[in-house]
Amino acid sequence: MSILRRRKGTENKKTEPEYEEFKEKKSLRKLKGRGRWSCVDGCCWFVGCICCIWWLLLFLYNAMPASFPQYVTEAITGPLPDPPGVKLAKEGLRAKHPVVFVPGIVTGGLELWEGHQCAEGLFRKRLWGGTFGELYKRPLCWVEHMSLDNETGLDPSGIRIRPVSGLVAADYFAPGYFVWAVLIANLARIGYEEKNMYMAAYDWRISFQNTEVRDQTLSRIKSNIELMVASSGGKKVVIIPHSMGVLYFLHFMKWVEAPAPMGGGGGSDWCAKHLKAVMNIGGPFLGVPKAVSGLFSAEAKDIAAARSMAPSFLENEMFNFQTLQHVMRMTRTWDSTMSMIPKGGDTIWGGLDWSPEEGHECNEKKPKNNSTQTSESDRTRKSANATRVKYGRLISFGKHVANLHSSEIERIDFRDALKGKSHANSTCRDVWTEYHDMGIGGVKAVADYKVYTAGSVLDLLHFVAPKLMKRGSAHFSYGIADDLDDKKYEHYKYWSNPLETKLPNAPGMEIFSMYGVGIPTERAYVYKLSPGGDCYIPFQIDTSAEGGSESPCLKGGVFHIDGDETVPILSAGYMCVKGWRGKTRFNPSGIHTFIREYNHAPPANLLEGRGTQSGAHVDIMGNFALIEDIIRVAAGATGEDLRGDQVYSGIFKWSERIKLKL
């Protein structure tokens, strides 16, 4: 014992140089023992940096006064217009028809009701929406709880996350970032309150029919609408869906009429009795190309730019961050994302050598001298260049492939390619995705096919994500019906596709499509193979692909078209312009349809916040003109009272190019 004490004492009596050497060796042993940062450390560090910036901005936001004195603001911006609610209240408008809000994907809050040990203390705390505090405190635990079962698309064992209820479910997405709050506040100005406003919150992660199977959400919406009609003296309801909520309510209108047990048993006249108007905001009726890039490589334009500039933050194996892999693993369990895959195939979105938007000219920067004169040669050059954009090619492997005529492209069919198991299955552990079952041969086969249209992209997704698409195929469909009277279209998988279902028999109802225009919106992508290792996502948007002055629609590997930054005009407008206009096979009762486009104008300065004339996909919820239209209809106006269509884009011309049997 004494010997041990002497040795211990001797060890502690080191000279200063020896002690410094000892500390250095100890630090090296510690680093060697860890080998590299753990995935938790990597995710925490990356997400923590983002959240620190967010909290700093939030602190500065909260440190500002709730509102500047009006004379200060007006001295800078000029006289401020009255908010729509105040303006219309002065005109004498009052609350009349009850209103129902249907939020879209990701904007509704989700809270924890049951979880694993790592989620201790989070009962009924928001895991989605609000401050997102748990995201950076325990990121892997958060991913585990936000993910659904990969086989059923429902709750994993021991986890229950449910939608927040009430208007607070989606009034704000995060502190200071409004979604429905501005519209709610303006409706309150003419007398609305919670008894005649209802937020139809639902778990936006799961398939539409499963919201009924698991939570009876569709039944609750039906009951609430019936109660609102009864308690308002028989006044019909105005429905206001946003984004994916548009598709969700399409599904609801078929469900509520269909007989039980698949449907709600309301009968064929339920919508006619209960609905005055459906005012769709930013509706992806025919899907969005962004859904394809999200499912294929967990990317959109902004993520692709971050991935190219700072790949180590998103998927570096050295530090084991692998954020994109975690995002892909989680979001591929969310069946709702498959509702927004482009519908209608090449008939709607175009083929290898044509598209409805052919000839679209992307806005270029104006000359500094503001000259309005353009030479004839410049006009000819711009027109010729515009026609070269082949928007029908949703995915092209290589910029040169995106521009070639289809006869010049050598393609090898990927559908029968042999997939080889990758040894990554044992090394990637908790970031495993279905790509790790493809092997090198499968990845190469996808790239060798070169070009994918809206038709072939479905086969692509079935090839790279078979589990995802197997679940999705049971709940969603993307085709065009030949015969809508065929009994197969009574199945719920068709109900959210406007090309495979009929509108309800409600000739007195009105349908509006309201969306922003004037913002470059993702339409097609240039891809390349990723240079990473086994645990990488093997495909990524090629952000080096630039069109320059010759093809200004191509920026950062993304071909842009007119839209609201998320939904292209074609998807938001076609059904109300042509597919449902008048009596068609998709609209047999002749429900009146209207297009209301809102030309985007960004805020002039910081005091305007996100602006009152924005056409952006979410910011449009604060657009004064849109809010005024909604309030007028809720107070009793019709589409004709709003002067019918309001159009700034080429949607009518583009719709005429689509050869669809009506």
Side-chain angles (χ1 to χ4, degrees):
M1 193 62 134
S2 61
I3 295 174
L4 289 174
R5 285 196 191 99
R6 282 198 301 272
R7 287 180 179 170
K8 186 175 180 182
T10 304
E11 183 182 340
N12 289 333
K13 293 178 182 177
K14 297 182 182 291
T15 64
E16 187 172 338
E18 288 174 333
Y19 183 66
E20 292 300 325
E21 184 181 357
F22 169 75
K23 284 204 304 181
E24 185 178 353
K25 288 180 179 179
K26 189 174 181 180
S27 298
L28 288 172
R29 283 198 302 270
K30 185 177 180 181
L31 286 173
K32 187 176 180 181
R34 292 186 67 185
R36 59 183 182 180
W37 282 10
S38 69
C39 195
V40 176
D41 292 333
C43 286
C44 281
W45 190 89
F46 172 66
V47 180
C49 284
I50 294 177
C51 290
C52 284
I53 296 171
W54 170 262
W55 279 108
L56 177 60
L57 293 174
L58 186 61
F59 171 78
L60 294 174
Y61 174 84
N62 289 328
M64 295 171 65
S67 62
F68 287 96
Q70 187 168 344
Y71 68 87
V72 174
T73 304
E74 291 190 349
I76 299 172
T77 65
L80 296 175
D82 283 336
V86 174
K87 171 187 172 183
L88 298 179
K90 290 178 180 178
E91 292 182 15
L93 270 66
R94 294 292 179 265
K96 183 176 181 181
H97 294 275
V99 296
V100 173
F101 311 117
V102 187
I105 192 168
V106 311
T107 54
L110 300 174
E111 61 187 18
L112 182 71
W113 281 80
E114 180 185 3
H116 294 163
Q117 187 174 359
C118 67
E120 187 71 28
L122 298 181
F123 176 66
R124 294 204 64 202
K125 297 288 178 61
R126 288 199 185 198
L127 290 192
W128 188 272
T131 62
F132 284 91
E134 301 309 318
L135 170 58
Y136 69 91
K137 287 180 183 176
R138 26 188 158 182
L140 292 186
C141 182
W142 181 84
V143 167
E144 178 186 9
H145 284 73
M146 284 298 298
S147 300
L148 295 165
D149 185 275
N150 206 26
E151 300 291 338
T152 66
L154 294 169
D155 296 323
S157 177
I159 294 176
R160 281 185 296 145
I161 289 181
R162 297 294 181 263
V164 176
S165 59
L167 296 177
V168 297
D171 55 352
Y172 288 90
F173 175 65
Y177 192 89
F178 70 82
V179 182
W180 294 90
V182 177
L183 176 58
I184 291 170
N186 278 277
L187 283 165
R189 293 282 193 173
I190 67 164
Y192 280 92
E193 52 189 292
E194 202 146 11
K195 70 180 181 182
N196 50 11
M197 288 193 291
Y198 167 60
M199 183 72 71
Y202 59 99
D203 189 338
W204 44 262
R205 300 173 302 158
I206 63 180
S207 71
F208 302 158
Q209 190 69 8
N210 273 343
T211 63
E212 174 66 16
V213 171
R214 195 194 71 179
D215 300 335
Q216 294 75 58
T217 302
L218 298 174
S219 293
R220 293 171 189 271
I221 295 173
K222 175 177 180 282
S223 297
N224 275 285
I225 290 175
E226 290 170 346
L227 175 61
M228 295 172 89
V229 171
S231 61
S232 66
K235 295 182 179 66
K236 297 178 185 179
V237 172
V238 173
I239 309 295
I240 311 169
H242 174 242
S243 191
M244 190 185 76
V246 168
L247 303 180
Y248 187 69
F249 197 76
L250 272 181
H251 182 98
F252 171 84
M253 287 194 292
K254 295 301 294 182
W255 173 88
V256 75
E257 293 184 339
M262 188 181 295
S268 60
D269 61 348
W270 190 94
C271 291
K273 289 179 177 178
H274 294 89
L275 305 182
K276 167 182 164 54
V278 183
M279 307 191 75
N280 303 287
I281 304 173
F285 289 102
L286 302 177
V288 289
K290 185 182 284 190
V292 174
S293 64
L295 293 171
F296 187 51
S297 62
E299 289 179 296
K301 176 178 62 177
D302 297 333
I303 297 296
R307 189 179 182 187
S308 64
M309 290 187 294
S312 60
F313 288 142
L314 293 179
E315 54 181 346
N316 196 310
E317 290 182 347
M318 184 165 108
F319 295 111
N320 219 5
F321 290 163
Q322 299 167 328
T323 307
L324 273 184
Q325 289 89 324
H326 284 291
V327 169
M328 174 174 280
R329 184 170 63 92
M330 176 178 68
T331 56
R332 279 194 176 181
T333 67
W334 297 350
D335 289 353
S336 64
T337 57
M338 288 177 281
S339 71
M340 292 183 289
I341 293 173
K343 303 174 178 70
D346 296 2
T347 300
I348 299 294
W349 295 92
L352 291 175
D353 293 314
W354 82 278
S355 70
E357 307 100 323
E358 189 170 322
H360 171 70
E361 293 184 16
C362 293
N363 294 328
E364 297 183 20
K365 292 183 178 179
K366 295 180 180 179
K368 289 184 178 180
N369 61 7
N370 292 323
S371 173
T372 57
Q373 296 183 353
T374 305
S375 68
E376 188 63 34
S377 61
D378 285 343
R379 288 195 194 98
T380 303
R381 178 183 58 81
K382 287 183 179 179
S383 177
N385 287 335
T387 59
R388 291 184 198 150
V389 179
K390 295 176 170 55
Y391 286 114
R393 304 178 184 185
L394 294 189
I395 290 178
S396 301
F397 275 89
K399 176 184 172 182
H400 67 290
V401 172
N403 296 321
L404 291 174
H405 189 274
S406 59
S407 61
E408 301 177 81
I409 303 174
E410 295 183 7
R411 306 164 78 192
I412 301 174
D413 201 330
F414 66 94
R415 295 172 181 87
D416 298 323
L418 293 176
K419 296 182 181 181
K421 292 281 185 180
S422 170
H423 73 274
N425 285 340
S426 60
T427 60
C428 295
R429 298 180 304 278
D430 58 344
V431 295
W432 177 87
T433 68
E434 289 180 277
Y435 279 130
H436 303 137
D437 278 345
M438 287 180 59
I440 297 173
V443 170
K444 186 176 183 299
V446 168
D448 286 344
Y449 194 65
K450 304 286 177 58
V451 181
Y452 296 85
T453 64
S456 56
V457 82
L458 291 173
D459 293 332
L460 170 66
L461 292 175
H462 275 283
F463 186 78
V464 302
K467 286 187 177 180
L468 171 84
M469 295 303 290
K470 181 181 179 182
R471 294 195 320 272
S473 298
H475 290 275
F476 303 106
S477 183
Y478 313 100
I480 300 173
D482 292 323
D483 179 10
L484 285 167
D485 293 322
D486 191 321
K487 290 291 185 181
K488 77 174 186 178
Y489 293 110
E490 295 177 2
H491 192 273
Y492 59 75
K493 68 182 286 185
Y494 301 102
W495 291 350
S496 61
N497 181 357
L499 301 174
E500 294 183 302
T501 191
K502 299 177 185 178
L503 287 177
N505 182 24
M509 189 175 85
E510 294 181 328
I511 295 180
F512 296 79
S513 185
M514 314 168 77
Y515 55 88
V517 298
I519 307 178
T521 301
E522 295 172 47
R523 178 63 168 84
Y525 303 90
V526 176
Y527 266 85
K528 67 178 181 179
L529 291 175
S530 299
D534 292 321
C535 295
Y536 273 52
I537 295 170
F539 311 107
Q540 67 181 102
I541 295 172
D542 185 0
T543 54
S544 68
E546 295 284 347
S549 59
E550 292 296 314
S551 184
C553 294
L554 175 60
K555 293 183 179 179
V558 180
F559 286 101
H560 296 87
I561 197 70
D562 197 2
D564 70 358
E565 202 169 37
T566 295
V567 183
I569 287 172
L570 195 67
S571 180
Y574 174 78
M575 292 308 298
C576 281
V577 161
K578 190 175 180 185
W580 290 332
R581 185 59 60 102
K583 284 191 176 184
T584 70
R585 66 191 184 105
F586 303 108
N587 180 17
S589 69
I591 294 172
H592 290 176
T593 63
F594 300 93
I595 288 287
R596 301 291 293 176
E597 293 185 344
Y598 302 89
N599 214 4
H600 174 70
N605 53 65
L606 290 174
L607 294 179
E608 290 189 15
R610 287 154 61 195
T612 59
Q613 301 178 66
S614 176
H617 187 64
V618 177
D619 293 355
I620 198 173
M621 303 293 279
N623 184 299
F624 278 12
L626 176 138
I627 293 172
E628 181 173 332
D629 285 347
I630 290 173
I631 293 177
R632 288 189 181 279
V633 172
T638 66
E640 291 299 330
D641 294 330
L642 300 183
R643 299 183 179 179
D645 296 328
Q646 175 177 279
V647 180
Y648 298 98
S649 73
I651 182 61
F652 278 92
K653 178 176 67 176
W654 296 347
S655 296
E656 286 302 316
R657 294 174 179 169
I658 295 175
K659 305 307 177 185
L660 179 65
K661 186 180 80 171
L662 299 175

